[in-house]
Amino acid sequence: MNRWLCCLLGGVLLGLTGGAGAESSAVTGLKWDSKPTSAQIAAGKALSMSCAGCHGAAGNSVSADFPNLGGLNYIYLYKQLLDFKHGARKSPIMAPMVLALSDQNLRDLAAYYSEQKYSPAAGANEDDAERQDKAGLLKLGKRIYEQGLTAGGVTACIRCHGAGAAGRVGHFPRLAGQHAKYLAAQIKAFKAGGRGNDAGKMMEHVALPMSERDIQAVAFYLQSLR
């Protein structure tokens, strides 16, 4: 199947079901543009104290190993937490963290982080020396993101994650300013089949033809975006 068609169909499926596989029923009935209540946000803030060690204050991680969560879509975050809890997304770190949390706890955490200010990771465009040294990598990453690699069968990321990698409501998360190390690890996980909690395994299809350099380039480029 054409990968762009796969991406499009996957987006429709994700929009209709809220996810893929056994975990999808848990988010049925919730719309991707659902907004959390102030009570949820307050409850989530209290729960987030145990998350700050990895994800930082207000969900802005100082470690490249852990993603920034601040400002991500509420339902997207909720679905990821559900997937960690029910095993649809594997993580030896996150699984025990969410094991004892109730469904409402997960919603509250997602609510809190979704309402926090997005703070991008330090990127290549903030360091002139690094930018010059890795100009080729940035150029390749930009090309992959915006145009894909036709000869290699790599789909353009912009088709799903939008202009400037700002994401599209719920279906596809914002990637701009996310830690490059974390992004690269996730792309590799999708490529190897270690992560597959997206609809129709879209990301596995996208990542499979990507080389190590392709992965590093697009991750580095995404981190540089604001």
Side-chain angles (χ1 to χ4, degrees):
M1 178 184 291
N2 176 277
R3 289 193 178 89
W4 165 226
L5 180 59
C6 176
C7 177
L8 177 61
L9 291 176
V12 172
L13 176 63
L14 194 57
L16 290 174
T17 67
E23 82 282 5
S24 63
S25 61
V27 292
T28 298
L30 291 174
K31 297 180 179 180
W32 285 110
D33 58 355
S34 296
K35 299 295 183 184
T37 66
S38 56
Q40 282 183 284
I41 296 167
K45 182 177 182 178
L47 289 167
S48 73
M49 296 300 103
S50 62
C51 311
C54 292
H55 292 287
N60 293 304
S61 174
V62 296
S63 169
D65 292 308
F66 305 108
N68 288 331
L69 304 178
L72 289 178
N73 177 266
Y74 164 48
I75 302 300
Y76 174 79
L77 286 170
Y78 171 52
K79 181 187 181 297
Q80 299 310 304
L81 290 170
L82 275 177
D83 288 355
F84 282 127
K85 182 176 177 68
H86 298 299
R89 182 174 176 183
K90 310 295 184 183
S91 170
I93 297 175
M94 284 300 301
M97 293 295 293
V98 298
L99 184 62
L101 297 180
S102 68
D103 182 72
Q104 189 60 56
N105 290 156
L106 300 183
R107 293 181 188 230
D108 293 344
L109 273 172
Y112 171 69
Y113 284 122
S114 72
E115 293 298 309
Q116 301 314 297
K117 185 177 179 180
Y118 158 59
S119 181
N125 62 349
E126 293 183 350
D127 187 325
D128 289 339
E130 184 179 33
R131 183 176 60 213
Q132 291 172 13
D133 182 52
K134 297 188 176 180
L137 205 60
L138 274 176
K139 184 177 181 180
L140 174 60
K142 177 179 173 67
R143 181 155 64 95
I144 293 172
Y145 187 85
E146 295 181 348
Q147 303 172 33
L149 295 174
T150 304
V154 179
T155 302
C157 315
I158 195 172
R159 290 172 169 173
C160 292
H161 290 280
R168 300 188 189 280
V169 176
H171 308 176
F172 305 101
R174 184 195 66 240
L175 301 177
Q178 190 60 268
H179 293 291
K181 184 178 180 182
Y182 171 78
L183 289 172
Q186 295 308 302
I187 296 172
K188 290 177 184 178
F190 280 120
K191 179 182 173 76
R195 180 177 174 186
N197 68 319
D198 58 329
K201 295 188 179 294
M202 281 183 292
M203 278 302 302
E204 181 178 327
H205 292 293
V206 172
L208 269 174
M210 296 180 74
S211 68
E212 175 67 22
R213 181 169 173 78
D214 293 340
I215 292 171
Q216 294 300 327
V218 77
F220 187 64
Y221 171 70
L222 287 167
Q223 179 179 275
S224 78
L225 295 177
R226 294 295 176 266

